Amino acid sequence: MTGKDSIYAAEQEVKDFTFDENVVEVFPDMIQRSVPGYATIVSTMGKLAGSFAQSNSNLYDLGCSLGAVTLSMRRNIDKENCQIIAVDNSAPMVERCKLHLKGFKSDVPVDVTLGDINDIEIENASVVAMNFTLQFITPEQRYAVLEKIYNGLKPGGVLLLSEKIRGENDQKDNILIDLHHDFKRHNGYSELEISQKRTAIENVMRPDQLSAHLQRLDKIGFQQTQVWYQCFNFCSMIAIK
Ligand code: GEK
């Protein structure tokens, strides 16, 4: 069972955020109350995966956490001989993800792997999903990770990329941050929780500007990139090889 996120409810000496047992325990509540449109994003990623999945190919869910996107993709795949490879580098997440997936039946095989996105191979892929994961890869490694994904995609294959983004200048960024904090307040987070979480995450998650994402995907060689969702500083894109 998972519970309510109260990790930063009490005043504390804030350490860098990690995806440990405590976070795993409350993760569904945390992400739902922190990311505007999370349920819509996950279900749409499933639909897109269903449209772009190719027979005899792999679909990847990188930074799978508890497998929400894996489940959503699996529900929509109707092509033959597809398998999903779900990867996360948090051992407690992977353990809980495996348990969670066991609760649902499907003919599409899923391989849940403990691993670092920087080290894994991507091959014979028709769909690669990164739902709020690239932001946790160090900025210096992002190009290489995306280039590896591009090289592992089949022609016509897609990257489904959701990210928290930074506004294009400080003034625009502050507008987005204020709106996001309002969203969190509305979902029951206190000022203390919002501010302590912000401190915990700031060294761990360094968002790029949307323009930087689009330029990088273009430079790597993706033929088409379309933003299909944005609410405040949360954005989802599809990039087609
Ligand atoms: C969802 N996609 O529910 N290698 C592998 N995994 C990593 C790495 C890495 N280098 N860095 C971070 N992670 C999910 C939500 S959460 C987003 C994704 C968030 C993993 C990390 O352990 C965590 O499970 C996930 O990426 C990010 O749709 O919490 O904001």
Side-chain angles (χ1 to χ4, degrees):
M1 285 304 282
T2 54
K4 186 173 176 343
D5 172 23
S6 57
I7 290 178
Y8 296 105
E11 192 159 6
Q12 56 199 265
E13 194 192 320
V14 179
K15 304 202 182 73
D16 277 354
F17 186 83
T18 56
F19 290 94
D20 59 16
E21 281 87 356
N22 294 332
V23 168
V24 169
E25 209 52 52
V26 299
F27 188 74
D29 178 69
M30 172 186 284
I31 197 149
Q32 172 73 29
R33 288 203 286 145
S34 305
V35 176
Y38 174 72
T40 303
I41 294 168
V42 168
S43 67
T44 308
M45 285 174 87
K47 292 262 181 263
L48 288 168
S51 302
F52 285 92
Q54 301 177 29
S55 302
N56 308 308
S57 72
N58 296 324
L59 290 83
Y60 289 84
D61 179 6
L62 304 181
C64 60
S65 300
L66 302 182
V69 170
T70 291
L71 277 172
S72 180
M73 296 202 296
R74 202 166 69 163
R75 276 188 205 112
N76 286 281
I77 295 171
D78 57 7
K79 300 290 182 329
E80 280 177 7
N81 197 22
C82 288
Q83 66 160 341
I84 300 178
I85 298 156
V87 181
D88 205 288
N89 69 349
S90 153
M93 275 293 186
V94 165
E95 219 170 283
R96 186 64 71 94
C97 180
K98 285 181 179 168
L99 273 180
H100 186 53
L101 293 178
K102 270 193 193 151
F104 302 83
K105 279 216 165 105
S106 166
D107 294 335
V108 179
V110 179
D111 175 19
V112 185
T113 303
L114 177 64
D116 191 313
I117 293 162
N118 292 300
D119 304 330
I120 59 156
E121 281 182 26
I122 306 287
E123 51 194 11
N124 190 36
S126 56
V127 177
V128 177
M130 289 186 99
N131 201 28
F132 302 108
T133 307
L134 187 67
Q135 60 201 23
F136 292 104
I137 305 282
T138 60
E140 303 72 43
Q141 291 170 311
R142 288 177 196 171
Y143 191 95
V145 163
L146 292 171
E147 197 172 41
K148 173 171 74 175
I149 291 170
Y150 180 83
N151 290 332
L153 278 168
K154 294 158 77 78
V158 292
L159 168 66
L160 304 178
L161 179 65
S162 307
E163 285 278 285
K164 186 169 187 189
I165 54 170
R166 201 152 47 83
E168 298 291 325
N169 60 39
D170 286 350
Q171 197 179 3
K172 293 181 185 182
D173 197 39
N174 285 333
I175 294 173
L176 299 176
I177 290 171
D178 283 350
L179 288 167
H180 179 229
H181 287 175
D182 264 353
F183 171 84
K184 292 188 77 166
R185 261 175 228 118
H186 181 79
N187 285 333
Y189 284 114
S190 67
E191 298 306 320
L192 182 66
E193 284 178 294
I194 292 170
S195 114
Q196 292 192 140
K197 175 72 179 274
R198 194 177 184 185
T199 306
I201 209 93
E202 77 191 349
N203 292 325
V204 184
M205 190 189 76
R206 277 171 286 164
D208 284 322
Q209 294 174 341
L210 179 57
S211 57
H213 281 292
L214 298 176
Q215 279 162 23
R216 187 167 48 207
L217 294 168
D218 185 54
K219 189 165 174 209
I220 287 171
F222 284 95
Q223 293 292 313
Q224 308 273 356
T225 300
Q226 177 64 49
V227 174
W228 56 266
Y229 178 90
Q230 187 179 345
C231 183
F232 315 143
N233 34 12
F234 294 82
C235 177
S236 285
M237 294 157 253
I238 176 168
I240 307 176
K241 180 166 175 174

